[in-house]
């Protein structure tokens, strides 16, 4: 009976961390009710002695100052209602190279993608990073299992280093380190505009062992003809230098790889798990729409690539075009994925084309690892044989997040919806939260802001989001503007033609909302403190814009500004509700000048409210008061401008009504009227939603909270456009960007893998199953099932930081509820008949009369 599940920061494998005071977490022994005290001891001589308190998450290390490459083991014991535990099994963490001065090797900047060098000694650690994307081998064996390393960050100030344990790969005698290097995000196409050379014009690699010397590097062009994350990868296997990654290869014909001075000041660790090849999929069909062409159907829209095992005789040139949709003739269509901009003469190419030239060798396979694609279908041209599913695997590639949430229920359609939302996440966590995996693949702030509460139920996204928030902070402009996406390529930055499009309400608010969600889900206070200056700068900017500017239309209609306009944020560029069903985005000029004062002021109030709570957590009492006041003033401005005394809103739209309820913008007494009007508008639309990007995640929750759960279920189960089930009925395996992503005629529009609309599954977790976090990390949670929609049972399981929570209910002649509460936690369960129960750690079953 000892504490278990020891973790360091938010990592399962804390190798190479650069944090000076890593935080330690553990779980209480099974069966224990709560912790009264703990004691930590480390292998380097730190011993806390008994520390009274219940804290078992993210306890900061306060032992001797850490040295570079130091491995620290640690153990913990706890005192609970069961008395004093034994010491836990040891956990560990290991630091990387903490100081720029620890780096003794030079950067190598080759003119070709293949690099090799001999090394001596018996190193056990390899520290590695690159400008570009690297893949490394020691003595012919791949180093580690991370993909697309060193990952995507705001390289201007942050470049991740990976630390590898290579002890098992090194042998006596000659050893070889080999690297395949491609442009990646550093030199290749990136962002909405697909600009190239955003951080540099040349690839480079930096490698250092913990022990031993690295010889001169040699480089060659080899078989990697070209590689680009968006365009695709081309490989000519007839030019593969056989055995080049292993010792004994003769590289005398290769070129010397020059040294470069890039310095070490931007090198950082990653707080997130790496991208990996997480799963392989066997195709469900291979069709032949015309001679010489085959179309592979994975049956699932994924992020990643395929591995092709049969490449035909030497010299065969095979082209693989990836896409998400087939036309009526069974041919791949990618036109809907071509980015179009008013300032470009023509849409950009869809990309995602790989090519391989076979060398005709036995066992030869093609698997690109220097590109990714968002796809379900692959069009294969030029293959002389008839491919079978055995020749192909879909390789699912994404950040290897730890799964923490599951949902199931009696309605198979909800199961499919949940799967599609889950695959939407899996398709869009490729080191950064991408909006979509096929088109711009950018870390859009609005998308993650809306989805992070849902994501955090399904996966541990703490480290992943922390990594991204550091880029959001790095990308923030001096005036507080938060960039549309992070990492933001310079071609879309403050000095670019796209500059006018940054700083939108609902997008930039990610800088406040995401850290707050990480605090709520993981009890991580440090991320609040770390992001505090960025949040303050964002709110200062909004406040300043509200105070100093007026929208021209308002100024024309009301020449003398009303006092409340000081807090009405109606200037600057905003995306607004965005992608309302049936509405096309306005022309570019209109978009730039539109008045989105309703949305922006609502978000100003919302973020100010969160800031007040964040300030309180951080012990900044003065700031807490200041932001509470700001919130009140913004709410007041919003009411004076957009709410009439009867509770009518301007604009009288579903989205505005949803926001009013979700962000607590209307006085308590008007809430029922606002909710009734929302229902009325839904009915007027034939019981359909009319929300776009920002309001959709809140739609079903506000209906349920206002006593209209039946309407929420009707929308959830609606199967005519616009609705979630329409997507599934039209074949979606991931959520679409637009409600009509595939229209009634079967024509595709825009991205078919945009995770944001999948936030609806939070309704399944929090309302249908009824599991709601109350205190950080679910230390206190509520269980309040909402049976409805003909659903007869539901189950949600969440692996919270304190342990596994399980909620299950069944509805028959009786309502039966089962709840499992982890050690150290308490739950309040509210049964459908209104009975409220307080539940402590352990498993409980309660029965009630159905309502
Ligand atoms: C699109 C992106 C993203 C959205 C922005 C406003 O191009 O795909 O989802 O946040 O527009």
């Amino acid at each position: 009976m000892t504490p278990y599940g020891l973790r360091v920061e938010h990592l399962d494998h804390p190798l190479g961390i650069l944090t000076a005071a890593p935080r330690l977490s553990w779980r209480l022994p099974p069966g224990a009710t709560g912790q009264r005290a703990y004691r930590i001891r480390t292998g380097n001589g730190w011993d806390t002695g008994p520390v009274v308190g219940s804290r078992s998450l993210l306890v900061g290390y306060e032992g001797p100052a850490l040295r570079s490459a130091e491995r620290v083991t640690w153990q913990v014991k706890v005192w609970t209602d069961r008395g004093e535990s034994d010491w836990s099994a040891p956990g560990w963490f290991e630091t990387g190279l903490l100081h720029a001065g620890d780096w003794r090797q030079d950067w190598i900047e080759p003119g070709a993608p293949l690099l090799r060098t001999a090394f001596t000694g018996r190193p056990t650690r390899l520290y590695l990073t690159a400008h570009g994307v690297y893949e490394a081998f020691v003595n012919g064996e791949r180093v580690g299992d991370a993909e697309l390393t060193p990952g995507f960050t705001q390289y201007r100030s942050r470049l991740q280093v990976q630390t590898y344990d290579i002890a098992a790969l090194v042998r006596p005698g000659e050893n070889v380190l080999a690297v395949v290097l491609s442009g990646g995000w550093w030199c290749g196409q990136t962002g909405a505009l697909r600009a190239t050379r955003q951080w540099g014009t040349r690839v480079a690699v930096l490698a250092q062992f913990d022990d031993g010397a690295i010889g001169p590097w040699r480089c060659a062009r080899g078989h990697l003809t070209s590689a680009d994350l968006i365009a695709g990868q081309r490989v000519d296997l007839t030019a593969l230098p056989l055995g080049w990654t292993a010792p004994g290869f003769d590289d005398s014909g290769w070129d010397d790889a020059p040294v470069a001075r890039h310095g070490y000041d931007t090198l950082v660790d990653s707080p997130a798990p790496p991208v990996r090849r997480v799963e392989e999929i066997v195709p469900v069909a291979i069709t032949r729409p015309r001679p010489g062409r085959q179309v592979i159907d994975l049956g699932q829209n994924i992020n990643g690539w395929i591995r092709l095992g049969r490449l035909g005789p030497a010299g065969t040139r095979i082209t693989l075009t990836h896409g998400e949709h087939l036309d009526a003739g069974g041919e791949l269509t990618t036109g809907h994925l071509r980015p179009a901009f008013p300032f470009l003469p023509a849409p950009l190419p869809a990309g995602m084309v790989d090519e391989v030239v076979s060398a005709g060798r036995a066992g030869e396979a093609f698997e690109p690892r220097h590109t990714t694609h968002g796809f379900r279908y692959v069009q294969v041209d030029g293959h002389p044989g008839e491919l079978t599913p055995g020749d192909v695997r879909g390789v699912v590639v994404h950040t290897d997040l730890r799964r923490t949430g599951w949902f199931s229920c009696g309605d198979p359609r909800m199961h499919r919806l949940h799967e599609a939302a889950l695959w939407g996440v899996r398709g869009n966590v490729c080191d950064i939260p991408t909006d979509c995996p096929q088109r711009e693949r950018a870390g859009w702030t609005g998308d993650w802001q809306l989805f992070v509460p849902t994501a955090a139920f399904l996966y541990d996204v703490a480290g992943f989001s922390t990594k991204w928030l550091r880029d959001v902070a790095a990308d923030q402009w001096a005036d507080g503007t938060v960039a549309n996406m992070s990492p933001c390529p310079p071609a879309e930055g403050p000095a670019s033609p796209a500059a006018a499009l940054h700083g939108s309400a609902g997008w930039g608010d990610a800088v406040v909302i995401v850290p707050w969600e990480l605090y709520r889900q993981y009890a991580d206070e440090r991320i609040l403190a770390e992001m505090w200056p960025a949040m303050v700068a964002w709110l200062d900017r909004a406040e300043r814009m509200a105070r100093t500017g007026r929208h021209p239309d308002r100024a024309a209609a009301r020449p003398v500004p009303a006092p409340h306009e000081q807090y009405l944020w109606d200037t600057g560029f905003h995306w607004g509700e965005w992608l309302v069903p049936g509405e096309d985005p306005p022309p570019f000029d209109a978009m730039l000048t539109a008045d989105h004062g309703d949305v922006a002021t609502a978000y100003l109030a919302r973020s100010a409210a969160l800031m007040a709570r964040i300030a309180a957590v951080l012990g900044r009492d003065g700031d807490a008061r200041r932001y509470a006041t700001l919130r009140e003033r913004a709410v007041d401005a919003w009411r004076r401008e957009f709410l009439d005394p009867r509770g009518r809103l301007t604009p009288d739209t579903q989205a505005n009504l949803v926001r009013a309820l979700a962000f607590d913008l209307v006085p308590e007494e008007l809430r029922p009227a606002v909710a009734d009007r929302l229902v009325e508008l839904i009915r007027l639309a034939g019981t359909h939603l009319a929300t776009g990007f920002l309001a959709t995640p809140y739609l079903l929750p506000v209906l349920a909270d206002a006593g209209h759960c039946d309407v929420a279920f009707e929308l959830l189960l609606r199967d005519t456009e616009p609705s979630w089930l329409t997507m599934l009925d039209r074949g979606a395996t991931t959520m679409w960007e637009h409600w009509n992503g595939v229209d009634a005629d079967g024509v595709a529009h825009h991205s078919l893998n945009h995770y944001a609309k999948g936030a609806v599954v939070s309704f399944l977790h929090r309302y249908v199953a009824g599991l709601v976090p109350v205190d950080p990390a679910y230390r206190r949670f509520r269980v309040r099932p909402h049976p409805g929609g003909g659903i007869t049972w539901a189950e949600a399981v969440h692996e919270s930081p304190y342990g596994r929570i399980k909620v299950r209910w069944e509805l028959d002649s009786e309502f039966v509820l089962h709840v499992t509460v982890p050690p150290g936690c308490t739950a309040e369960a509210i049964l459908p008949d209104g009975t409220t129960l307080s539940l402590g750690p352990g498993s409980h079953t309660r029965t009630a009369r159905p309502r």
Side-chain angles (χ1 to χ4, degrees), residues 4-14 22-27 56-59 74 76 91-93 271 273 400-402 404 460-463 522 799-801:
Y4 70 105
L6 274 57
R7 281 187 110 197
V8 178
E9 289 295 312
H10 299 291
L11 293 165
D12 291 322
H13 196 67
R23 295 167 298 171
L24 314 177
S25 307
W26 57 89
R27 289 191 178 174
S56 57
L57 297 180
L58 299 169
V59 174
W74 66 285
V76 60
W92 62 273
F93 60 87
D400 198 1
L401 302 171
R402 173 205 268 239
T404 56
D460 180 348
V461 293
Y522 306 102
E799 196 70 34
S800 83

Side-chain angles (χ1 to χ4, degrees), residues 156-246:
R156 204 181 53 236
S157 52
R158 298 173 15 81
L159 174 63
Q160 297 182 143
V161 174
Q162 281 76 37
T163 301
Y164 298 103
D165 181 349
I166 52 158
L169 304 180
V170 176
R171 54 195 191 205
E174 192 197 346
N175 282 285
V176 166
L177 171 62
V179 173
V180 181
L181 198 53
S182 66
W185 297 275
W186 189 276
C187 309
Q189 295 183 74
T190 184
L193 302 178
R194 307 198 162 178
T196 56
R197 305 172 165 204
Q198 290 298 288
W199 285 276
T201 55
R202 306 190 56 164
V203 290
V205 67
L206 173 64
Q208 183 167 307
F209 294 110
D210 58 333
D211 167 47
I214 301 186
W217 291 78
R218 313 274 285 164
C219 63
R221 173 131 295 281
H223 57 298
L224 188 66
T225 316
S226 70
D228 182 272
L229 289 168
I230 286 181
Q233 180 168 332
R234 284 162 196 264
V235 168
D236 180 355
L237 292 175
T238 63
L240 173 72
L242 279 183
W244 75 277
T245 59

Side-chain angles (χ1 to χ4, degrees), residues 511-524:
V511 77
V512 179
I513 295 170
V514 177
W516 173 249
E517 274 304 322
L518 298 188
Y519 170 70
R520 291 200 353 128
Q521 302 279 346
Y522 306 102
D524 190 335

Side-chain angles (χ1 to χ4, degrees), residues 435 439-440 444 447 507 575 578 693 737 754:
D435 57 330
R439 203 183 56 208
E440 62 242 50
W444 281 90
D447 304 48
W507 273 256
W575 297 103
W578 193 242
F693 196 73
E737 179 178 20
H754 248 67

